[in-house]
Amino acid sequence: MTRLAEAGLEPEAGPEMPQGPLGGVARAVAFANTWIVYAGGIALLAASAILTYSVVVRNAFKIATDWQDEAAVFCIVGAVFTASAYVQSLRGHIGIELLAHFLSPRANRVRAILVDIASFLFCAFFAWKSWTLLHEAYVDKQTTTSAWAPPLWIPYGLMAFGITLLALQIALQIAAALQRRKP
Amino acid sequence: MSILALGLLFGGVTLAVMFTGMPIAFALGSVAAVFMYFFMPAASLDTVTQNVYEEMASITLLSIPLFILKGAAIGRSRAGRDLYAALHAWMTRVPGGLGIANVFACALFAAMAGSSPATCSAIGQAGIPEMRARGYSPGFAAGIIAAGGTLGILLPPSITMILYSVAAEVSLGRLFLAGIGPGLLLVVLFAGYAVWRFRREYATAHAIYSAGPMAARNSRPSDCSAATA
């Protein structure tokens, strides 16, 4: 439940699913989100396990570690970016809802749609730049600067995919809100 | 435009956009992107995503999701209630011991979870009803939990300190060490205040209770809140 709904400012809050042909897309995104969240949870646990292993072997057995830090970074960055669409579907990205308490419900709906459109524009821009970054990293075979030197297209790909899904999720929520206004 | 004016404009626009209710992450990002478009060379916009990734791929910063994961696991478990029950059993003979038990429970939970809101909700759920049942006034009971919750950002490991160490580029280990002393001092002071305040509320309630049957009927003896109100 969003904080707006808790405050009674968003009466028709529910699953923000658009009707018609977009409904299928929305269901597909919701289905993907569910599985991505499980994968992200496993990635976070894997990162904790990798870091624990790294600390133990470094301190107890005095063995140099090379791949652990970056593998953990990839796991967490991947989990954060790919799960952002799910968080958006729950309206879980933290914002300051101060203005919502002063506006009328009608003005609030307009405000919410404008905020969503601005968020969508930013995410779409970010997604576009992520894909160009990914393309560049893949073509130039870029790697990180460490001794292990894993290819950079792994985290960039997760970032591009996650932000694209996030932009799609926001677009679907805007569509649902616009459809609700019409009838 | 001078650098100062540009900085003020940037800060003002960022605040204005954040207050519209736009999620903070998107608000910061979009304002920065728009300002880069107008005031910086065109090529700088191409490196936005790379900069974001490079800032995020810091092993210090990425400990935060893991701390939140740990805090969520502890928050969902019975640890908060068990911790509170154990301290309550230990402190029950001390006058005002319930307040001390709450402060200590907050401190221990804060050290485990590293987050102030998590501490307040975990200890407050068990602690506030118990304190209210024993006649602590509502303001006092809530105040103990709220004050105890602030220990979450002071006692290591603290998520706020991780962010500070990244932003100010200072040693995280030394920050954590620096938090222990003030944190423990605050625990002692909070506990001392809880005892003092409890004795005062008790004395007021006792005075009203022994003043006469009429007064006693008007304010229930187990409820100090009526006495202090």
Side-chain angles (χ1 to χ4, degrees):
Chain A
M1 194 150 124
T2 63
R3 268 160 297 148
L4 274 181
E6 276 167 15
L9 293 166
E10 206 176 58
E12 43 317 41
E16 295 175 277
M17 294 290 234
Q19 308 295 313
L22 278 176
V25 183
R27 274 190 295 278
V29 170
F31 180 77
N33 278 341
T34 317
W35 286 102
I36 286 168
V37 166
Y38 281 116
I42 292 167
L44 279 187
L45 289 178
S48 346
I50 291 169
L51 287 176
T52 309
Y53 166 77
S54 151
V55 169
V56 168
V57 296
R58 211 163 42 207
N59 282 318
F61 307 115
K62 310 285 177 214
I63 301 169
T65 54
D66 52 355
W67 57 272
Q68 285 87 347
D69 278 13
E70 277 181 329
V73 165
F74 286 7
C75 281
I76 300 175
V77 167
V80 167
F81 277 113
T82 52
S84 60
Y86 177 77
V87 176
Q88 174 66 28
S89 76
L90 302 176
R91 296 274 172 190
H93 289 294
I94 305 285
I96 304 172
E97 299 285 358
L98 189 67
L99 202 60
H101 296 280
F102 297 113
L103 295 176
S104 67
R106 200 184 155 77
N108 244 325
R109 275 196 291 276
V110 176
R111 178 197 63 92
I113 289 176
L114 290 179
V115 161
D116 276 357
I117 290 174
S119 303
F120 169 75
L121 289 176
F122 172 69
C123 292
F125 165 77
F126 200 93
W128 168 47
K129 287 296 178 193
S130 309
W131 286 110
T132 58
L133 186 70
L134 170 64
H135 179 252
E136 201 179 306
Y138 187 76
V139 170
D140 298 349
K141 297 192 168 49
Q142 290 173 2
T143 60
T144 67
T145 50
S146 69
W148 182 40
L152 267 173
W153 61 259
I154 301 174
Y156 288 172
L158 289 167
M159 180 165 79
F161 170 70
I163 294 291
T164 308
L165 199 61
L166 172 62
L168 186 59
Q169 175 67 51
I170 301 177
L172 288 168
Q173 283 172 325
I174 297 171
L178 289 176
Q179 279 179 354
R180 259 204 316 253
R181 281 169 60 80
K182 263 182 217 154
Chain B
M1 200 183 288
S2 76
I3 290 186
L4 178 68
L6 193 59
L8 287 176
L9 183 68
F10 182 75
V13 171
T14 306
L15 280 178
V17 172
M18 281 205 291
F19 275 111
T20 62
M22 193 168 174
I24 291 173
F26 308 152
L28 292 177
S30 48
V31 173
V34 169
F35 270 72
M36 283 170 97
Y37 178 77
F38 283 112
F39 298 106
M40 284 173 78
S44 61
L45 267 180
D46 293 335
T47 60
V48 165
T49 46
Q50 197 177 357
N51 291 340
V52 167
Y53 173 74
E54 278 167 6
E55 285 297 320
M56 261 189 85
S58 113
I59 200 81
T60 317
L61 211 53
L62 287 184
S63 59
I64 292 177
L66 298 181
F67 271 124
I68 294 174
L69 179 68
K70 186 187 69 164
I74 297 173
R76 277 293 176 90
S77 73
R78 284 177 45 88
R81 257 175 296 157
D82 288 353
L83 184 69
Y84 176 74
L87 282 166
H88 187 191
W90 274 87
M91 294 290 170
T92 189
R93 286 176 177 278
V94 186
L98 186 59
I100 304 180
N102 273 287
V103 172
F104 283 5
C106 280
L108 285 174
F109 196 88
M112 289 196 296
S115 144
S116 293
T119 307
C120 283
S121 77
I123 304 299
Q125 262 169 13
I128 289 181
E130 186 72 22
M131 283 192 281
R132 292 288 296 128
R134 302 296 176 90
Y136 284 54
S137 67
F140 182 31
I144 286 181
I145 299 296
T150 62
L151 296 167
I153 60 167
L154 201 54
L155 287 170
S158 132
I159 291 170
T160 314
M161 277 188 186
I162 298 174
L163 282 174
Y164 181 81
S165 92
V166 171
E169 294 180 349
V170 291
S171 155
L172 182 58
R174 292 169 71 97
L175 267 181
F176 277 175
L177 281 177
I180 296 175
L184 292 181
L185 179 67
L186 274 180
V187 170
V188 173
L189 289 176
F190 286 164
Y193 179 78
V195 172
W196 179 75
R197 176 77 191 254
F198 172 78
R199 281 168 174 253
R200 225 182 52 170
E201 286 197 351
Y202 184 83
T204 321
H206 190 71
I208 292 175
Y209 181 62
S210 50
M214 278 309 292
R217 210 169 296 146
N218 288 340
S219 65
R220 282 180 295 129
S222 66
D223 191 1
C224 300
S225 59
T228 51

